[in-house]
Every structure is written in C-alpha cells, then in structure tokens.
Amino acid sequence: MNLDHFFHPYRTPTANIVDCLRFWTGEHPDAPAFYFLEDGETEEICWTYAQLDRKARAVAATLQSLGLQGQRVLLLYPPGLDFIAGFYGCLYAGAVAIPAYPPRRNRNMQRIQAISDDAQAKAALSVHDVCDRAGGLLDEAPHLKDLTWLATDRISDDAADRWTAPDIHSEMLAVLQYTSGSTGTPKGVMLAHRNLLHNVSLITYGFEPNRESCGVSWLPTYHDMGLVGGVLYSVFFGRHCIHMSPLAFLQKPVRWLRAITRYQGTIGGGPNFAYDLCTQKVTDEEMQGLDLSSWDVAFNGAEPIRATTLDGFVERFAPVGFRREALYPCYGMAETTLIVTGGKKCEPPVVRSFAGEALDQHCIVPVDEGHEGARQLIGCGRVLPDVDVRIVDPVQYRQMPKDRVGEIWVDSPSVGLGYWNKPETTQETFQAKLSDRTSGTYLRTGDLGLHAGELFVTGRLKDLIIVRGVNRYPQDIELTVEQASTHLQPGAVGAFSVDRHGRERLIVVSEGDRARRKDWSDVIGAIRRAVT
C-alpha cells in the first residue's frame, strides 16, 4: 500500500529527513517549530523554522569543515532545543547522529564510552556547560578524550552561510539508535533516511492530525519515542511541539497537563507509568484550571499497558475534559524506528479478557471479564499500512495458529538496516525467515503476543519465569506485587528468577515509599501472600 495516498495535502514532499525541515522553512519560515519550557511551566524558548534551519546549517558547516561528513557523531545534550539543532546539523552535514544522554559524574561515562567505541564515533556535540564539565570526567572514559568535542551553542549562526548541501539519498544512514534496554555490549540500530520517513508517515496515518494539531512532550530526545515522536514527526508534519525536561515532569507531573492546557496540545504521551504518575501525584488543588479537552491522541507504549492505569487516568481527569477515546495504545521499538501498530483515533482502547492459566501455557482462551483467573490485555492497535506482522513459533519458525501465543515478527519499511557492526546478530534478529516460505525476511522482536483484530502483547520471550514447571509472565507478578501494598511505588517493581542449588527461585525487587522508615515485614508478608 502506497502511503502517499493518505497524506496529501499535509505530507511534506521529501526524499530525506533534511528535506522536511527545508520544506517548512520555505513554506512558513516565521512559524514556531519548537518551544522549550525551561522551568517546565512558563519560561519558554521558541525557535521558528527559519531559526532552527539556520542553526542546523551552522552546525553542519562546522562539521563539514572538520571533514566529518559520513562519520558518526555523538549527541550528548541536556534537555533543550540545542539537541534539535545538533541533530539536524548532523543530518545537514551528511553525518550520522548518535543520540545519547549527557555525561554526569559517577554516571553514564562507561556506557557513553561503550557506545562511542562501538560506533567508532569521531566527534561529540553538546552545549558548552557539558563540554566544560566533561573535561573532568574523561579520566573515567579515556577513549572519549580522542573525540572532537564541539559546543554547538557557541557556534555563530553566521557559519550557516558556509554550508554546502550534501548528496543525501534515501538509503543513507541517518541515525544510530542505541537500544535503551541494552546490557553488556550496546547495540546500535542503523536507521536510514527512508526508515525515518516511513515511520513518521505511519504516525501521521495513525494520529490523523490536522493543521491545528500540536504536540507536548517531556520524553527524552535521546530515546526513540522522544526523538521520532517528539522531534522528527513534528517537523515532518510541519506543526510545532512543546518540550520540557523529563525531570521537570517527574518532579511535578501536573506540568505536562498544564502545558497541554496552555498550548491546547492535541498529541502527547509516554510509557504506561507516566499516566499512573499523573493519576497519583496530581492533587485536587492542581486540578484547578486544567483543560484537557483539546488532547485527542494520548499515546501509550514502550512498556506493558494496564487496564487499571487507563481506567484510573480517565476517572481522575474526565472532570477536566479528558476523554477515554483519546487513549491511544500502540506498539513499537527502536528496531522498527518506532511505531508498528496503533489504535484507531477517537475510539476507546480495546480491552479483552483471556484465561490466565491458558496464557501461561501460550494458549488463547477468551473468557468473560468476571471469569475466575481472567487476565485483561490491552489491544495495541491495528497493524498499520505497509506493515506485516506474524505470530511465529520461536523455535520452529512456523506461523502459529490463531489460538496460540507466539513471537511477534515484523516486516516493514520502517525496520532498520540491522545492528551496527554486528553482522551475526543482525542476521539472527533482522533477517529471520519463516520455515514454510522461500522468500521474505522478518524482524524478530523478542516479544510474545497474539493477533485477534488487534495486536495483544503478552510478554518478553526471554523474560518468561518458570516456577514449578509453569510459565509465568513477569509483568503479571509485578502488577500483583504493586497491588499488594500502598507502600510500593507503581512502575518500580521487577520480577525475575535465579537458579539456586539447581532450583529456579523467584526474586522480586521493589522501590518502596521513601517516607516509610519502620519495619517492612508486614509489606513483605503481603507480597508473599499475594504472589503465592
């Protein structure tokens, strides 16, 4: 299916990501492109398309003067608009952008060095405060000393006049997106310009925006959801997005909702925990003055989506205009650029109940909501155009029958080119083939799920816990733990297993209420009873 059919007249005529910003700079140079709320509330910085384009060209000209076209460049920015200028500056120069979080004392340096070493990066971009501070931290990561460090906020806009447009084609590598959940050796997903363009096209199809739409995002821009959903999509569609620091949101969740109210935001979202945080932390006093009636796409992805979270959020914020139909469950990952499936706009999320014991054995048995042992699953939406999703036996590589859970496999133009400099892992993950087909390859997501009109994700293939011979999904145990006591932090529970004396033992780790200092034996007892 050709996605061009869906987006005229809103779609930007582009062949690469650089064309998006150049197009809107020509069409609406003085229109706002991005806002950043420095304090998370009222202190705003605004860049127009023309200003962003000029800053990006200035960065690009500097990179070109250093011979960095085609090279990998780390982006180590704190929250703010400078990241966006640095990101587009890389693409304008024909360099490969590598988003990562900025260095901090006693944190991040080893991971940044591992990413830099893996990508063979040649330069690091940030603001002058970070560059100055990094000098004292490089003893922890000596390989980073060899990089060319550039404070892009100190580059004069006049350097833009020296920019020479490179020859950028759709297959050219644009981004190395290092997976957020990586352990051990980091893996960089190779995303070409065509991958990025296809995925923002899918988002446009799913979100159905109009010329009054605008986004409000607290998501970190080094993460795929913040980068693609909060930066690339906005420039692709040509409507502004309001950003704030993730820390500003976490410290005071109402700031996100106030920004939606103030700017009449229509699109905003995050992982499931963000909605829980708002429900629990926004006080009755803070509810005064909120108006969420403009919010029509509240996307939810990146972690298990819970029916109790959605119900609680709607109940809490319906009095200030939030509508259940705005909830937009979706599914995706860095390996697919971002989105794979998404809900239908203006329709409530699909919630279905299945027999829990059957799901543990990877069997699909629909039951009524009130059935004993029923487990509710949230549909993560329809398969979007140009995307092929299969439910596959992860051992036999055969498509599973409709009554069985299997591994989710994806074929889509949004699927990245593979992992940087890891041909064997790339072949295993990105080039899987069905045993009963002679052509076509798929991305193995590592997620388990079922497809019944909507995609339902049941868990991670490698995270399954076997207790006394029975498969258990860790997220089910984690939810049980959270509900066992009000003294536990929602979204801050981990369940896993270890082998001890030849027997698999269940381990639960949870973050507790920091204000509680006394004996925790009652909470531990409640957890054991609930899980047992």
Side-chain angles (χ1 to χ4, degrees), residues 151-374:
T152 57
D153 58 332
R154 293 290 174 87
I155 296 175
S156 170
D157 288 354
D158 293 339
D161 298 330
R162 301 195 299 271
W163 175 65
T164 302
D167 180 19
I168 302 175
H169 55 82
S170 62
E171 295 296 325
M172 182 179 289
L173 187 60
V175 179
L176 284 183
Q177 183 69 58
Y178 278 83
T179 53
S180 58
S182 294
T183 57
T185 304
K187 298 194 294 290
V189 180
M190 297 186 289
L191 298 175
H193 281 266
R194 66 169 176 83
N195 299 135
L196 301 174
L197 284 173
H198 183 264
N199 209 252
V200 290
S201 298
L202 289 184
I203 295 172
T204 305
Y205 175 86
F207 288 3
E208 300 180 42
N210 56 47
R211 297 313 303 164
E212 303 304 315
S213 296
C214 74
V216 180
S217 177
W218 56 268
L219 296 162
T221 49
Y222 58 76
H223 189 275
D224 54 349
M225 186 182 281
L227 175 63
V228 180
V231 176
L232 295 179
Y233 167 69
S234 297
V235 172
F236 174 80
F237 191 69
R239 289 293 296 166
H240 59 271
C241 185
I242 297 90
H243 286 255
M244 68 177 64
S245 163
L247 188 59
F249 164 70
L250 294 172
Q251 290 174 334
K252 200 172 183 180
V254 73
R255 288 169 170 159
W256 184 32
L257 308 184
R258 284 176 177 164
I260 291 172
T261 299
R262 176 183 175 187
Y263 293 93
Q264 290 294 281
T266 61
I267 299 169
N272 191 81
F273 85 86
Y275 295 91
D276 274 332
L277 201 62
C278 289
T279 301
Q280 294 155 13
K281 298 298 184 182
V282 175
T283 66
D284 291 342
E285 183 180 0
E286 290 174 334
M287 293 278 284
Q288 302 301 315
L290 290 182
D291 178 6
L292 304 182
S293 58
S294 65
W295 196 1
D296 58 15
V297 177
F299 58 86
N300 185 331
E303 65 183 26
I305 304 170
R306 294 173 174 171
T308 53
T309 297
L310 304 187
D311 293 341
F313 191 84
V314 172
E315 181 180 358
R316 180 63 171 154
F317 296 104
V320 293
F322 186 81
R323 304 177 309 280
R324 187 177 185 87
E325 292 76 17
L327 292 169
Y328 191 92
C330 49
Y331 171 74
M333 65 201 69
E335 285 81 355
T336 61
T337 304
L338 187 60
I339 198 169
V340 173
T341 65
K344 190 169 179 59
K345 186 179 178 182
C346 299
E347 291 187 4
V350 174
V351 184
R352 294 186 185 168
S353 297
F354 301 91
E357 290 187 2
L359 276 182
D360 288 337
Q361 300 303 320
H362 296 174
C363 295
I364 303 169
V365 180
V367 297
D368 294 333
E369 181 180 344
H371 186 275
E372 184 178 357

Side-chain angles (χ1 to χ4, degrees), residues 111-137:
R111 178 168 168 80
I112 293 171
Q113 178 168 284
I115 290 173
S116 178
D117 289 348
D118 183 73
Q120 300 168 308
K122 301 298 183 183
L125 307 186
S126 191
V127 295
H128 71 277
D129 285 345
V130 172
C131 290
D132 292 345
R133 187 170 68 246
L137 299 176

Side-chain angles (χ1 to χ4, degrees), residues 487-498:
H487 296 292
L488 302 177
Q489 294 288 344
V493 177
F496 54 94
S497 63
V498 297

Side-chain angles (χ1 to χ4, degrees), residues 513-528:
D513 183 354
R514 296 181 183 181
R516 181 184 170 109
R517 300 292 183 185
K518 62 180 182 179
D519 180 31
W520 286 81
S521 59
D522 59 326
V523 176
I524 294 171
I527 292 171
R528 284 175 170 156

Side-chain angles (χ1 to χ4, degrees), residues 17-18 21-22 25 34 47-64 77 81-94 125 152 155-164 166 235:
I17 288 297
V18 169
L21 181 51
R22 297 292 286 166
T25 299
F34 291 98
W47 286 359
T48 66
Y49 286 101
Q51 288 173 316
L52 175 57
D53 171 73
R54 186 163 182 80
K55 291 177 184 296
R57 286 187 288 120
V59 173
T62 304
L63 294 176
Q64 289 174 332
Y77 290 88
L81 300 186
D82 288 294
F83 169 89
I84 302 175
F87 178 83
Y88 277 99
C90 283
L91 302 191
Y92 272 44
L125 307 186
T152 57
I155 296 175
S156 170
D157 288 354
D158 293 339
D161 298 330
R162 301 195 299 271
W163 175 65
T164 302
V235 172

